[in-house]
């Protein structure tokens, strides 16, 4: 990985070659390693490093951009020239905004050297530990053990310098019998916080407890959703609900609803990159400081997140949520925090007469953006709860449910908050387990 | 490049590898998007790097780097061997590669017009023209038109002595328009959703698609959907258009027949497959008119190439023949697990920074003999479903549910009432067994899927699916409506 000093020197060199333009340089570097296993053996084992440079130029109301993975002198020169050509052919944009002035940022310590330095031998040992456990129980294991270190810097011709370095590690494991499976996962910036024995035990127990699954009818069920399942719902809420661009274009289910009760009064959520469990950057992709934003308070919509463009259209202040510019998707909360309640996963189960315990969902997708209706399958541990106890594994079901409607029927939230990784990265989201009444399952499957 | 690639292979062998290959890849890319009258993406990029894959102590290792010089090549090759030796601590047996002839060849995507030589002004000009038509109504909340071009030049050397120089070129174009009103958000796209049509062609693809001619119709359909009734729930005969059929093939046949996921190598992430090995040649996947063919040689397919990243020549074979399940997609490593003597040539990697894994190639439903008008006339009371809006399928590739942008009730042999928020759900083999009519080759098109995700670390691959409008009997529709 390139050091901060090297990135700064490189960015100064690049900016010096862009005289006559407002110029922004985004530089990133990373090293990633991942050991993958299936059928109780290591099937892939990889290490990679990468570099990225993006140059954005502004002149006379026009903008041009180019990117490269080649930071040799000729690669940099070629990238700058491509940005200049793009600017020349671009149309004048009267709404084009100037680059950010220098900013000050809150410090977030996201980098743990020992995570960056984890060796392939150590990853193999971790996998061996999990597989030993599964073999003892006649189960088959699959999963990953990964570690990465990355950094990102933004510099511009106005003197802005924003830098963030982070590490990440994941141990994700599935345990399978002939007719059941279980799963557990941890994502940590410090790899030494990952408890492989505990994760392997959880995955194995779920697989063993859900053997010989029964069929239940797809219907409206009381569900206890473990954090990984809750995170799927929250992901779509962030992308399509709190998206500032969708909001100002009336494409969001929240457009025109600030101040209205949109979900149950027991739901409060923020975008809060400074939460201790979060791992995101303290600035956005234009170099503005990330603000903590109260999104929903006791069920009432308070705000969505904005970059400068969407904020101006909404007549409000921007919240430091710009994506790399120019951006056609819109600003989204990358580090959602859902406040917990006073319950626990155990108590939610204990207080359920008849319901389903959901470990996680699979392949969830959006059906209707206005109602935020999504569909997906359960996976790796669906259990029947009767009279306050988990009694049996259940064959998987498909749900088709409006996230907004589901969040009006939340009966309990856990006090403990959990970190969940997201598809888009960005440091993860923080949320409780939830008990939801009348959750709609619409079809079954053979496994 | 050849010298550098061969140096990596030699270093790996000296370090203890029993097999090694090196791929050096130089990529060029252009991406343009015009959104609501402004350029929202105008990016030109290039990328270069190399990846070294080895077998040492009978296990795989892979390392890569963007720093292409002799010293770093030696270091990365050594790293790959060290990683392989760490992998060997947990194996059941040594990796075995199916034999493959040694080659020294060059291959290039045949194109008519190099898309990188077309002036940027011309490309942007077309996108602005489209955008102007798409936004000509106050009910349009957003319009987006885009083009993408990619060239990928790969030099691959193997310790078996093969050297392959390959240049792949891909182009894509499309637009979508979103209307808002009446408490609804509705989108229509052309020629397909999710950024349109992608093929291994040059700029001739963009000229061939009648983009301007369809823009007004697409806009008006998005507006009409705002006030259209919701698709009713229940069982219906459905005709699925070619674009949605492409995704149906992709999700319920393509991924289900990847041998690595059948064997559990994707179990923790993308999942497994119901199409287990004891079913081969024994299982009725679909009705007797269903023929599903893999073809990495078909002109213009996104997965059309000379050789895969195992150095295996492009091939054509059946997965499903007259409804019967007869084949898999696999690589050299897995060939022996089903008794095959040669790989089917499905091993592909995303660029230089990823290890090759089993990927779907061009996979098509072979055309039947129906004229579309005759099929509509024969499906009274059914639904005609067009253009994918969302997709979801379980980890065994059995229970799927797809949403489409538009649905029409079929009445009097024509498309009648338009419905919004249509979707359909089924179980893979039952669904394919209910297929009883497929339109002929006149309606058959290769549709590109340019965003297929798989693997950890995640990789994106491209492939095409040939399809024509196809009828399925008594399918559950309007779920949740």
């Amino acid at each position: 990985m390139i050091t901060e000093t090297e990135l700064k020197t490189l960015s100064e060199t690049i900016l010096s070659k862009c005289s006559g333009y407002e110029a922004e340089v985004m530089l990133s570097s990373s090293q990633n390693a991942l050991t993958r296993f299936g059928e109780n053996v290591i099937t892939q084992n990889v290490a990679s490093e990468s570099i990225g440079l993006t140059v954005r130029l502004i002149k006379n109301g026009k903008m041009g951009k180019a990117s490269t993975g080649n930071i040799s002198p000729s690669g940099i020169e070629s990238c700058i020239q491509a940005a200049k050509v793009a600017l020349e052919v671009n149309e004048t944009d009267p709404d084009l905004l100037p680059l950010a002035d220098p900013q000050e940022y809150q410090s977030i310590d996201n980098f743990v050297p020992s995570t960056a330095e984890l060796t392939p031998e150590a990853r193999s040992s971790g996998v061996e530990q999990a597989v030993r456990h599964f073999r003892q129980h006649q189960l088959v294991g699959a999963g990953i053990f990964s570690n990465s270190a990355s950094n990102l810097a933004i510099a511009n011709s106005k003197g802005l310098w924003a830098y963030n370095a982070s590490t990440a590690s994941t141990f994700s494991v599935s345990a399978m019998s002939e007719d059941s499976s279980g799963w557990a996962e941890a994502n940590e910036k410090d790899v030494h916080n990952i408890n492989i024995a505990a994760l392997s035990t959880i995955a194995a127990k779920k697989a063993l407890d859900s053997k010989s699954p029964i069929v239940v009818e797809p219907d409206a069920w009381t569900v206890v959703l473990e954090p990984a399942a809750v995170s799927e719902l929250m992901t779509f809420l962030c992308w399509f609900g709190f998206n500032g661009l969708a909001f100002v274009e009336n494409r969001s289910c929240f457009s025109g609803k600030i101040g209205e009760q949109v979900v149950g009064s027991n739901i409060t959520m923020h975008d809060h990159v400074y939460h201790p469990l979060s791992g995101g950057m303290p600035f956005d992709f234009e170099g503005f400081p990330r603000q903590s934003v109260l999104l929903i308070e006791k069920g009432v919509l308070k705000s969505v997140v904005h970059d400068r463009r969407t904020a101006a259209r909404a007549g409000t202040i921007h919240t430091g949520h710009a994506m790399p510019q120019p951006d056609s998707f819109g600003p989204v909360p990358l580090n959602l925090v859902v406040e917990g309640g006073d319950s626990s996963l155990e108590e939610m189960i204990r207080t359920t007469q008849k319901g389903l315990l959901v470990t996680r969902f699979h392949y969830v997708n959006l059906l209707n953006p206005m109602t935020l209706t999504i569909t997906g399958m359960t996976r790796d541990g669906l259990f029947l709860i009767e009279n306050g106890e988990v009694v049996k594994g259940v064959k998987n079901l498909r749900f088709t449910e409006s996230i907004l409607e589901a969040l009006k029927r939340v009966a309990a939230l856990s006090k403990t908050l959990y970190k969940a990784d997201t598809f888009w990265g960005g440091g993860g989201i923080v949320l409780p387990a939830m008990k939801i009444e009348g959750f709609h399952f619409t079809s079954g499957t053979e496994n | 490049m050849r010298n550098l690639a061969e140096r990596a292979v030699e270093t790996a062998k000296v370090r203890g590898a029993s097999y090694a290959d090196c791929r050096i890849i130089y990529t060029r890319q252009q991406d343009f998007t015009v959104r609501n009258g402004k350029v929202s993406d105008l990016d030109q990029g290039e990328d270069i790097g190399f990846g070294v894959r080895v077998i040492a102590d009978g296990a795989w290792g892979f390392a890569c780097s963007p720093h292409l010089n002799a010293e770093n090549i030696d270091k990365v090759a050594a790293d790959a061997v060290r990683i392989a030796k760490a992998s060997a601590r947990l194996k059941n047996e040594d990796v075995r590669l199916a034999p493959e002839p040694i080659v020294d060849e060059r291959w290039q995507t045949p194109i008519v017009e190099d898309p990188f030589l077309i002036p940027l002004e011309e490309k942007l000009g077309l996108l602005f023209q489209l955008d102007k038509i798409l936004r000509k109504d106050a009910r349009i909340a957003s319009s987006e038109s885009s083009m993408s071009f990619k060239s990928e030049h790969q030099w691959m050397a193997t310790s078996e002595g093969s050297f392959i120089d390959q240049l792949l070129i891909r182009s894509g174009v499309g637009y979508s328009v979103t209307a808002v009103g009446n408490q609804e958000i509705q989108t229509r796209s052309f020629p397909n959703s999710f950024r349109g049509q992608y093929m291994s062609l040059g700029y001739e693809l963009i000229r061939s698609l009648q983009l301007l001619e369809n823009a007004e119709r697409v806009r008006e359909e998005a507006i009409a959907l705002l006030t259209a009734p919701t698709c009713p729930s229940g069982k219906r005969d459905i005709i699925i258009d070619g674009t949605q059929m492409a995704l149906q093939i992709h999700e319920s046949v393509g991924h289900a027949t990847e041998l690595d996921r059948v064997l559990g190598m994707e179990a923790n992430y993308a999942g497994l497959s119901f199409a287990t090995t004891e079913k081969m040649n024994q299982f009725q996947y679909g009705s007797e008119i269903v023929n599903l063919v893999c073809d990495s040689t078909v002109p213009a397919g996104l997965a059309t190439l000379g050789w895969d990243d195992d150095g295996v020549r492009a091939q054509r074979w059946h997965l499903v023949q007259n409804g019967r399940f007869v084949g898999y997609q696999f690589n050299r490593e897995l060939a022996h697990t089903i008794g095959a003597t040669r790989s089917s040539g499905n091993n592909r990697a995303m660029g230089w920074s990823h290890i090759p894994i089993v990927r779907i190639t061009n996979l098509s439903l072979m055309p039947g003999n129906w004229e579309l008008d005759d099929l509509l006339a024969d499906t009274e009371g059914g639904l005609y479903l067009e253009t994918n809006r969302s997709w979801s399928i379980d980890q065994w590739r059995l229970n799927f549910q797809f949403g489409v942008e538009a649905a029409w009730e079929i009445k009097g042999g024509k498309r009648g009432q338009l419905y919004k928020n249509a979707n359909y759900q089924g179980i893979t083999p039952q669904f394919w067994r209910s297929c009883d009519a497929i339109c002929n080759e006149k309606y058959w098109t290769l549709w590109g899927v340019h965003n297929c995700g798989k693997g950890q670390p995640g990789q994106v691959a491209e492939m095409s699916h040939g399809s024509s409008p196809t009828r399925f009997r008594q399918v559950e529709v309007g779920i949740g409506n």
Side-chain angles (χ1 to χ4, degrees), chain A residues 54-116:
Chain A
T54 301
V55 175
R56 196 158 68 95
L57 303 176
I58 294 175
K59 190 176 186 178
N60 299 331
K62 290 180 168 189
M63 194 267 299
K65 178 182 165 186
S67 57
T68 185
N70 178 1
I71 58 161
S72 68
S74 64
I76 289 169
E77 192 58 45
S78 161
C79 183
I80 294 170
Q81 284 308 316
K84 288 180 180 175
V85 169
L87 184 145
E88 286 306 316
V89 302
N90 205 347
E91 305 239 327
T92 304
D93 180 359
D95 300 324
L96 191 62
L97 293 165
L99 297 177
D101 291 317
Q103 307 284 324
E104 288 187 3
Y105 309 110
Q106 257 182 265
S107 165
I108 301 180
D109 186 8
N110 284 331
F111 194 90
V112 180
S114 58
T115 301

Side-chain angles (χ1 to χ4, degrees), chain B residues 76-220:
Chain B
V76 168
D79 285 348
V81 174
R82 177 185 168 188
I83 291 169
K85 289 180 175 174
S87 305
R89 291 168 54 168
L90 197 61
K91 63 176 183 181
N92 283 339
E93 56 180 14
D94 288 355
V95 173
R96 279 185 278 161
L97 298 182
E100 194 60 29
I102 308 306
V103 295
D104 193 334
E105 298 274 4
R106 185 168 200 282
W107 194 89
Q108 176 176 338
T109 304
I111 58 168
V112 177
E113 280 186 278
D114 184 343
F116 293 94
L117 297 180
I118 304 295
L120 296 180
E121 292 88 336
E122 183 178 333
K123 296 167 182 164
L124 282 176
L126 176 56
L127 296 182
F128 273 110
Q129 261 186 290
L130 290 165
D131 187 76
K132 202 171 170 186
I133 300 170
L134 295 173
R135 286 189 301 123
K136 210 181 278 180
D137 191 293
R139 289 165 288 185
I140 300 303
S142 71
S143 63
E144 194 165 302
S145 313
S146 63
M147 282 185 203
S148 294
F149 306 100
K150 184 177 177 186
S151 90
E152 192 176 65
H153 196 164
Q154 172 169 308
W155 299 266
M156 177 186 181
T158 78
S159 57
E160 293 166 336
S162 285
F163 183 79
I164 298 164
D165 175 344
Q166 191 157 239
L167 177 62
L168 304 176
I169 297 171
R170 297 170 180 132
S171 300
V173 66
Y175 53 82
S176 66
V177 58
T178 299
V180 172
N182 196 32
Q183 300 293 306
E184 279 292 340
I185 303 165
Q186 293 294 337
T187 298
R188 284 294 280 147
S189 311
F190 184 84
N192 201 353
S193 47
F194 305 102
R195 294 178 73 87
Q197 169 68 312
Y198 281 63
M199 297 186 95
S200 289
L201 290 172
Y203 201 74
E204 62 273 17
L205 171 71
I206 281 71
R207 300 196 196 281
S208 71
L209 288 171
Q210 297 186 300
L211 297 163
L212 289 165
E213 292 84 341
N214 282 280
E216 193 170 320
R217 173 185 64 80
V218 169
R219 179 193 71 215
E220 291 306 311

